[in-house]
Amino acid sequence: MGYYHTVALMLFLHFTTRRLVSQVYCGLKTASAKKQRTCYEMARPSSNMAEFREIFAKAKHITIITGAGVSAESGVPTFRGAGGYWRKWQAQDLATPGAFAKNPSRVWEFYHYRRELMMTKHPNPAHIAMAECEARLNRQGRSVVVITQNIDELHRKAGTKHLLEIHGSLFKTRCTSCGNVTANYKSPICPALAGKGAPDPDAEDTRIPVEDLPRCDDCNGLLRPHVVWFGETLDSDVFTEVEKELEICDLCLVVGTSSLVNPAAMFAPHVSARGVPVAEFNMQSTPATDKFRFHFQGPCGTTLPPALARHETELIS
Protein backbone atom coordinates (compact mmCIF):
# COMPACT_ATOMS: atom_id res chain seq x y z
CA MET A 1 0.00 0.00 0.00
CA GLY A 2 1.40 3.42 -0.98
CA TYR A 3 2.23 6.11 1.53
CA TYR A 4 -0.64 8.46 0.71
CA HIS A 5 -3.15 5.59 0.63
CA THR A 6 -1.88 4.49 4.05
CA VAL A 7 -2.13 7.98 5.52
CA ALA A 8 -5.56 8.46 3.96
CA LEU A 9 -6.75 5.25 5.58
CA MET A 10 -5.30 6.35 8.92
CA LEU A 11 -7.04 9.70 8.58
CA PHE A 12 -10.34 8.10 7.70
CA LEU A 13 -10.20 5.68 10.61
CA HIS A 14 -9.21 8.47 12.99
CA PHE A 15 -12.10 10.70 11.93
CA THR A 16 -14.54 7.80 12.03
CA THR A 17 -13.46 6.83 15.54
CA ARG A 18 -14.10 10.36 16.74
CA ARG A 19 -17.45 10.52 14.92
CA LEU A 20 -16.39 13.41 12.74
CA VAL A 21 -17.38 11.94 9.41
CA SER A 22 -20.69 10.21 9.80
CA GLN A 23 -21.85 11.68 6.49
CA VAL A 24 -18.57 11.01 4.66
CA TYR A 25 -18.61 7.40 5.75
CA CYS A 26 -21.60 6.61 3.60
CA GLY A 27 -19.51 7.53 0.55
CA LEU A 28 -16.35 5.69 1.53
CA LYS A 29 -17.56 2.43 2.94
CA THR A 30 -18.31 -0.54 0.74
CA ALA A 31 -21.75 0.13 -0.63
CA SER A 32 -23.81 -0.06 -3.77
CA ALA A 33 -23.18 2.53 -6.45
CA LYS A 34 -26.74 3.76 -5.94
CA LYS A 35 -26.16 4.41 -2.24
CA GLN A 36 -22.89 6.22 -2.97
CA ARG A 37 -24.60 8.41 -5.54
CA THR A 38 -27.29 9.25 -3.02
CA CYS A 39 -24.67 10.36 -0.52
CA TYR A 40 -22.59 12.50 -2.85
CA GLU A 41 -24.99 13.61 -5.55
CA MET A 42 -25.32 17.40 -5.45
CA ALA A 43 -26.20 20.19 -7.81
CA ARG A 44 -23.33 21.63 -9.79
CA PRO A 45 -21.45 24.11 -7.62
CA SER A 46 -22.39 27.76 -7.89
CA SER A 47 -20.11 30.50 -9.24
CA ASN A 48 -22.26 33.23 -7.71
CA MET A 49 -19.75 35.50 -5.96
CA ALA A 50 -22.47 37.63 -4.31
CA GLU A 51 -23.92 34.52 -2.68
CA PHE A 52 -20.47 33.43 -1.48
CA ARG A 53 -19.82 36.91 -0.10
CA GLU A 54 -23.00 36.80 2.00
CA ILE A 55 -21.84 33.55 3.60
CA PHE A 56 -18.31 34.91 4.03
CA ALA A 57 -19.65 37.99 5.84
CA LYS A 58 -21.26 35.79 8.52
CA ALA A 59 -18.53 33.17 8.96
CA LYS A 60 -16.72 33.10 12.31
CA HIS A 61 -14.16 30.34 11.72
CA ILE A 62 -12.78 30.20 8.18
CA THR A 63 -10.43 27.43 7.08
CA ILE A 64 -8.42 27.85 3.87
CA ILE A 65 -6.72 24.79 2.36
CA THR A 66 -4.01 25.63 -0.18
CA GLY A 67 -1.96 23.64 -2.66
CA ALA A 68 0.68 23.99 -5.33
CA GLY A 69 -1.52 26.09 -7.61
CA VAL A 70 -1.19 29.07 -5.27
CA SER A 71 2.61 28.96 -5.42
CA ALA A 72 2.63 28.27 -9.16
CA GLU A 73 1.31 31.79 -9.70
CA SER A 74 4.48 33.05 -8.01
CA GLY A 75 6.60 31.08 -10.48
CA VAL A 76 7.27 28.11 -8.21
CA PRO A 77 7.69 24.80 -10.10
CA THR A 78 5.28 22.08 -8.98
CA PHE A 79 7.33 19.06 -10.11
CA ARG A 80 4.09 17.42 -11.18
CA GLY A 81 2.78 16.33 -14.54
CA ALA A 82 4.47 16.90 -17.89
CA GLY A 83 7.78 18.66 -17.53
CA GLY A 84 7.74 18.24 -13.76
CA TYR A 85 11.30 16.99 -13.54
CA TRP A 86 14.46 18.09 -11.78
CA ARG A 87 17.18 16.87 -14.11
CA LYS A 88 15.90 13.38 -15.01
CA TRP A 89 14.06 12.71 -11.76
CA GLN A 90 10.59 13.54 -10.52
CA ALA A 91 10.02 14.62 -6.94
CA GLN A 92 8.80 11.17 -5.93
CA ASP A 93 12.17 9.77 -7.02
CA LEU A 94 14.00 12.09 -4.63
CA ALA A 95 11.65 12.90 -1.77
CA THR A 96 11.91 9.56 0.03
CA PRO A 97 13.89 8.26 3.00
CA GLY A 98 15.35 5.60 0.71
CA ALA A 99 16.62 8.12 -1.83
CA PHE A 100 18.26 10.14 0.94
CA ALA A 101 19.89 7.05 2.47
CA LYS A 102 21.19 5.97 -0.93
CA ASN A 103 22.39 9.36 -2.19
CA PRO A 104 22.07 12.25 0.29
CA SER A 105 24.20 14.44 -1.98
CA ARG A 106 21.69 14.25 -4.86
CA VAL A 107 18.72 14.84 -2.58
CA TRP A 108 20.41 17.83 -0.95
CA GLU A 109 21.24 19.30 -4.39
CA PHE A 110 17.55 19.05 -5.28
CA TYR A 111 16.44 20.78 -2.09
CA HIS A 112 19.26 23.32 -2.25
CA TYR A 113 18.04 24.27 -5.74
CA ARG A 114 14.50 24.70 -4.42
CA ARG A 115 15.66 26.74 -1.41
CA GLU A 116 17.73 29.09 -3.55
CA LEU A 117 14.90 29.44 -6.06
CA MET A 118 12.38 30.27 -3.34
CA MET A 119 14.59 33.08 -2.06
CA THR A 120 13.87 34.86 -5.35
CA LYS A 121 10.08 34.34 -5.26
CA HIS A 122 7.45 36.56 -3.70
CA PRO A 123 3.86 36.15 -2.52
CA ASN A 124 1.25 36.80 -5.18
CA PRO A 125 -2.15 38.52 -4.72
CA ALA A 126 -3.74 35.29 -3.47
CA HIS A 127 -1.20 34.91 -0.64
CA ILE A 128 -1.60 38.57 0.26
CA ALA A 129 -5.41 38.43 0.20
CA MET A 130 -5.40 35.55 2.68
CA ALA A 131 -2.97 37.30 5.03
CA GLU A 132 -4.87 40.59 4.90
CA CYS A 133 -8.19 38.82 5.46
CA GLU A 134 -6.80 37.02 8.51
CA ALA A 135 -5.50 40.23 10.06
CA ARG A 136 -8.74 42.13 9.39
CA LEU A 137 -11.09 39.43 10.66
CA ASN A 138 -8.97 38.85 13.77
CA ARG A 139 -9.75 42.42 14.77
CA GLN A 140 -13.42 41.51 14.51
CA GLY A 141 -13.08 38.47 16.77
CA ARG A 142 -13.24 36.08 13.80
CA SER A 143 -10.61 33.52 12.88
CA VAL A 144 -8.87 32.47 9.66
CA VAL A 145 -6.48 29.53 9.47
CA VAL A 146 -4.47 28.48 6.43
CA ILE A 147 -3.73 24.76 6.07
CA THR A 148 -1.13 24.41 3.35
CA GLN A 149 0.46 21.51 1.53
CA ASN A 150 3.18 23.87 0.27
CA ILE A 151 6.66 23.91 1.79
CA ASP A 152 7.84 27.23 0.33
CA GLU A 153 6.83 29.58 3.19
CA LEU A 154 5.21 32.10 0.82
CA HIS A 155 2.24 32.29 3.17
CA ARG A 156 4.63 33.36 5.93
CA LYS A 157 6.22 35.94 3.66
CA ALA A 158 2.78 37.35 2.95
CA GLY A 159 2.10 37.75 6.66
CA THR A 160 -0.17 34.81 7.49
CA LYS A 161 0.09 34.07 11.22
CA HIS A 162 -2.26 31.14 11.81
CA LEU A 163 -0.57 28.69 9.44
CA LEU A 164 -0.42 24.89 9.51
CA GLU A 165 2.27 23.55 7.15
CA ILE A 166 1.26 19.91 6.96
CA HIS A 167 4.22 18.90 4.76
CA GLY A 168 6.88 20.91 6.58
CA SER A 169 9.15 23.66 5.26
CA LEU A 170 12.09 24.02 2.89
CA PHE A 171 13.62 26.38 5.43
CA LYS A 172 13.74 23.97 8.36
CA THR A 173 16.21 21.14 8.89
CA ARG A 174 16.09 18.06 11.09
CA CYS A 175 19.11 16.21 12.42
CA THR A 176 19.13 12.54 11.49
CA SER A 177 21.05 11.79 14.71
CA CYS A 178 19.57 13.90 17.51
CA GLY A 179 16.29 14.91 15.84
CA ASN A 180 16.77 18.64 16.46
CA VAL A 181 14.56 20.80 14.20
CA THR A 182 15.89 24.26 13.34
CA ALA A 183 14.88 27.12 11.07
CA ASN A 184 17.60 27.58 8.47
CA TYR A 185 17.74 30.38 5.89
CA LYS A 186 21.45 30.17 5.03
CA SER A 187 22.35 30.72 1.39
CA PRO A 188 23.98 28.41 0.53
CA ILE A 189 22.99 26.09 3.32
CA CYS A 190 26.59 24.81 3.41
CA PRO A 191 29.74 25.74 1.40
CA ALA A 192 29.82 22.43 -0.50
CA LEU A 193 26.41 23.13 -2.06
CA ALA A 194 27.34 26.59 -3.36
CA GLY A 195 26.58 26.68 -7.08
CA LYS A 196 25.10 23.18 -7.02
CA GLY A 197 21.59 21.99 -7.87
CA ALA A 198 21.25 23.17 -11.47
CA PRO A 199 18.12 21.55 -12.95
CA ASP A 200 19.80 21.03 -16.35
CA PRO A 201 19.16 17.37 -17.38
CA ASP A 202 22.75 17.22 -18.63
CA ALA A 203 24.24 18.43 -15.34
CA GLU A 204 26.91 16.14 -13.95
CA ASP A 205 25.62 13.93 -11.15
CA THR A 206 28.54 14.23 -8.76
CA ARG A 207 28.48 13.16 -5.12
CA ILE A 208 29.40 15.62 -2.43
CA PRO A 209 31.13 13.79 0.45
CA VAL A 210 28.58 13.18 3.17
CA GLU A 211 30.76 14.92 5.76
CA ASP A 212 30.52 18.12 3.68
CA LEU A 213 26.73 18.14 3.54
CA PRO A 214 24.69 20.20 6.06
CA ARG A 215 25.56 19.19 9.61
CA CYS A 216 23.89 19.69 12.99
CA ASP A 217 25.34 22.47 15.17
CA ASP A 218 24.62 20.43 18.31
CA CYS A 219 25.91 16.95 17.49
CA ASN A 220 27.42 17.25 13.97
CA GLY A 221 24.92 14.70 12.66
CA LEU A 222 23.75 14.80 9.06
CA LEU A 223 20.87 17.19 8.50
CA ARG A 224 17.91 16.53 6.21
CA PRO A 225 15.13 18.84 5.01
CA HIS A 226 12.32 18.99 7.57
CA VAL A 227 9.63 18.02 5.08
CA VAL A 228 7.29 15.05 4.87
CA TRP A 229 8.63 12.59 2.31
CA PHE A 230 6.83 9.78 0.53
CA GLY A 231 6.76 6.88 2.99
CA GLU A 232 6.51 9.15 6.05
CA THR A 233 3.57 10.17 8.23
CA LEU A 234 2.38 13.67 9.01
CA ASP A 235 3.48 15.33 12.22
CA SER A 236 0.96 14.26 14.86
CA ASP A 237 0.81 17.67 16.54
CA VAL A 238 0.10 19.44 13.26
CA PHE A 239 -2.47 16.80 12.35
CA THR A 240 -4.28 17.34 15.65
CA GLU A 241 -4.47 21.08 14.96
CA VAL A 242 -5.80 20.41 11.45
CA GLU A 243 -8.48 18.12 12.84
CA LYS A 244 -9.57 20.77 15.33
CA GLU A 245 -9.85 23.46 12.68
CA LEU A 246 -11.83 21.22 10.33
CA GLU A 247 -14.24 20.44 13.15
CA ILE A 248 -15.02 24.05 14.10
CA CYS A 249 -14.92 25.84 10.74
CA ASP A 250 -18.16 27.28 9.35
CA LEU A 251 -16.70 28.16 5.94
CA CYS A 252 -13.95 26.36 4.00
CA LEU A 253 -12.00 27.52 0.96
CA VAL A 254 -9.93 25.17 -1.21
CA VAL A 255 -7.38 27.19 -3.17
CA GLY A 256 -5.04 26.00 -5.92
CA THR A 257 -5.13 22.30 -5.12
CA SER A 258 -5.89 19.34 -7.36
CA SER A 259 -7.74 17.48 -4.57
CA LEU A 260 -5.82 14.37 -5.61
CA VAL A 261 -3.17 14.04 -2.90
CA ASN A 262 -4.25 12.43 0.35
CA PRO A 263 -4.72 13.09 3.15
CA ALA A 264 -5.32 16.76 2.26
CA ALA A 265 -7.73 15.75 -0.51
CA MET A 266 -10.09 14.40 2.16
CA PHE A 267 -10.23 17.56 4.27
CA ALA A 268 -12.70 19.69 2.30
CA PRO A 269 -15.06 16.83 1.31
CA HIS A 270 -15.26 15.92 4.99
CA VAL A 271 -16.19 19.50 5.88
CA SER A 272 -18.73 19.69 3.05
CA ALA A 273 -20.34 16.41 4.11
CA ARG A 274 -21.24 17.85 7.49
CA GLY A 275 -23.09 20.73 5.79
CA VAL A 276 -20.44 23.47 5.86
CA PRO A 277 -20.17 25.60 2.67
CA VAL A 278 -16.97 24.89 0.72
CA ALA A 279 -15.70 27.15 -2.06
CA GLU A 280 -13.11 25.93 -4.53
CA PHE A 281 -10.80 28.39 -6.30
CA ASN A 282 -8.82 26.67 -9.03
CA MET A 283 -7.80 26.82 -12.67
CA GLN A 284 -10.01 23.84 -13.46
CA SER A 285 -12.49 21.45 -11.92
CA THR A 286 -11.16 18.65 -9.74
CA PRO A 287 -12.48 15.23 -8.68
CA ALA A 288 -13.95 16.91 -5.59
CA THR A 289 -15.61 19.88 -7.31
CA ASP A 290 -19.11 18.41 -7.38
CA LYS A 291 -19.01 17.93 -3.60
CA PHE A 292 -18.65 21.68 -2.99
CA ARG A 293 -21.11 24.56 -2.76
CA PHE A 294 -19.05 26.95 -4.90
CA HIS A 295 -16.46 26.74 -7.66
CA PHE A 296 -14.62 29.82 -8.98
CA GLN A 297 -12.51 29.00 -12.01
CA GLY A 298 -9.44 30.98 -12.98
CA PRO A 299 -6.12 32.11 -11.49
CA CYS A 300 -6.58 32.32 -7.72
CA GLY A 301 -4.55 35.53 -7.71
CA THR A 302 -7.46 37.02 -9.65
CA THR A 303 -10.49 35.25 -8.14
CA LEU A 304 -9.52 35.17 -4.46
CA PRO A 305 -8.82 38.86 -3.60
CA PRO A 306 -12.38 40.05 -4.36
CA ALA A 307 -13.79 37.03 -2.53
CA LEU A 308 -11.91 37.89 0.67
CA ALA A 309 -12.12 41.68 0.47
CA ARG A 310 -13.92 43.67 3.16
CA HIS A 311 -17.66 43.05 3.02
CA GLU A 312 -19.95 46.06 3.27
CA THR A 313 -21.47 44.72 6.48
CA GLU A 314 -18.12 44.53 8.29
CA LEU A 315 -17.88 47.16 11.00
CA ILE A 316 -14.09 47.00 11.31
CA SER A 317 -11.91 47.29 8.22
Side-chain angles (χ1 to χ4, degrees):
M1 182 179 291
Y3 160 61
Y4 285 120
H5 290 91
T6 301
V7 176
L9 179 59
M10 291 170 59
L11 178 71
F12 168 66
L13 292 174
H14 188 65
F15 280 167
T16 302
T17 300
R18 297 185 61 152
R19 298 183 180 180
L20 293 179
V21 288
S22 57
Q23 296 101 325
V24 172
Y25 185 71
C26 73
L28 293 179
K29 71 178 181 179
T30 302
S32 67
K34 182 177 180 181
K35 184 175 289 187
Q36 290 181 356
R37 282 197 301 270
T38 301
C39 177
Y40 275 143
E41 221 166 56
M42 297 174 64
R44 286 290 296 171
S46 169
S47 59
N48 187 324
M49 181 61 75
E51 181 185 357
F52 168 82
R53 294 277 291 159
E54 289 298 316
I55 295 172
F56 166 75
K58 299 173 184 176
K60 301 297 185 183
H61 301 282
I62 300 173
T63 295
I64 305 177
I65 302 166
T66 70
V70 178
S71 295
E73 292 187 31
S74 290
V76 179
T78 63
F79 297 103
R80 291 173 185 265
Y85 285 80
W86 176 80
R87 296 182 184 171
K88 61 182 179 181
W89 297 281
Q90 289 188 301
Q92 56 264 39
D93 299 321
L94 300 165
T96 71
F100 189 71
K102 182 178 180 180
N103 194 334
S105 173
R106 179 187 296 157
V107 173
W108 258 121
E109 281 200 52
F110 172 59
Y111 280 95
H112 172 66
Y113 160 71
R114 297 178 72 180
R115 285 167 56 94
E116 296 295 303
L117 179 66
M118 283 314 308
M119 289 181 180
T120 71
K121 303 301 181 183
H122 303 285
N124 62 59
H127 293 106
I128 294 169
M130 286 181 257
E132 290 180 346
C133 178
E134 178 197 20
R136 188 181 77 249
L137 296 195
N138 277 351
R139 294 194 294 271
Q140 302 172 25
R142 302 160 68 191
S143 73
V144 176
V145 60
V146 175
I147 301 170
T148 188
Q149 301 167 76
N150 301 332
I151 61 174
D152 50 45
E153 293 201 1
L154 285 177
H155 283 296
R156 291 189 185 278
K157 281 188 177 182
T160 293
K161 305 298 183 186
H162 195 179
L163 178 65
L164 299 175
E165 297 167 312
I166 64 173
H167 291 162
S169 167
L170 281 171
F171 298 101
K172 289 181 181 178
T173 58
R174 183 166 78 248
C175 180
T176 58
S177 295
C178 71
N180 189 38
V181 175
T182 308
N184 189 314
Y185 296 90
K186 294 178 183 177
S187 176
I189 191 170
C190 69
L193 283 168
K196 301 291 186 179
D200 183 353
D202 298 322
E204 186 179 1
D205 188 31
T206 58
R207 289 202 183 199
I208 299 170
V210 68
E211 60 269 18
D212 294 335
L213 292 173
R215 314 297 297 192
C216 178
D217 290 337
D218 293 338
C219 73
N220 201 43
L222 176 64
L223 295 178
R224 55 159 284 178
H226 185 54
V227 298
V228 178
W229 282 338
F230 295 94
E232 297 180 326
T233 57
L234 304 187
D235 181 276
S236 60
D237 291 336
V238 175
F239 181 83
T240 298
E241 285 297 308
V242 168
E243 180 188 40
K244 182 185 75 173
E245 296 298 335
L246 295 176
E247 187 176 3
I248 67 173
C249 74
D250 53 6
L251 175 62
C252 179
L253 282 64
V254 185
V255 185
T257 176
S258 64
S259 294
L260 290 172
V261 178
N262 285 313
M266 298 180 68
F267 294 164
H270 153 65
V271 171
S272 179
R274 67 179 180 85
V276 174
V278 176
E280 183 179 54
F281 296 77
N282 206 18
M283 287 296 293
Q284 61 276 320
S285 297
T286 71
T289 298
D290 287 345
K291 301 179 180 69
F292 302 149
R293 175 86 167 267
F294 300 96
H295 175 78
F296 300 103
Q297 190 158 326
C300 52
T302 300
T303 58
L304 196 62
L308 297 182
R310 179 181 178 272
H311 192 271
E312 60 184 9
T313 60
E314 292 181 34
L315 299 179
I316 302 174
S317 62

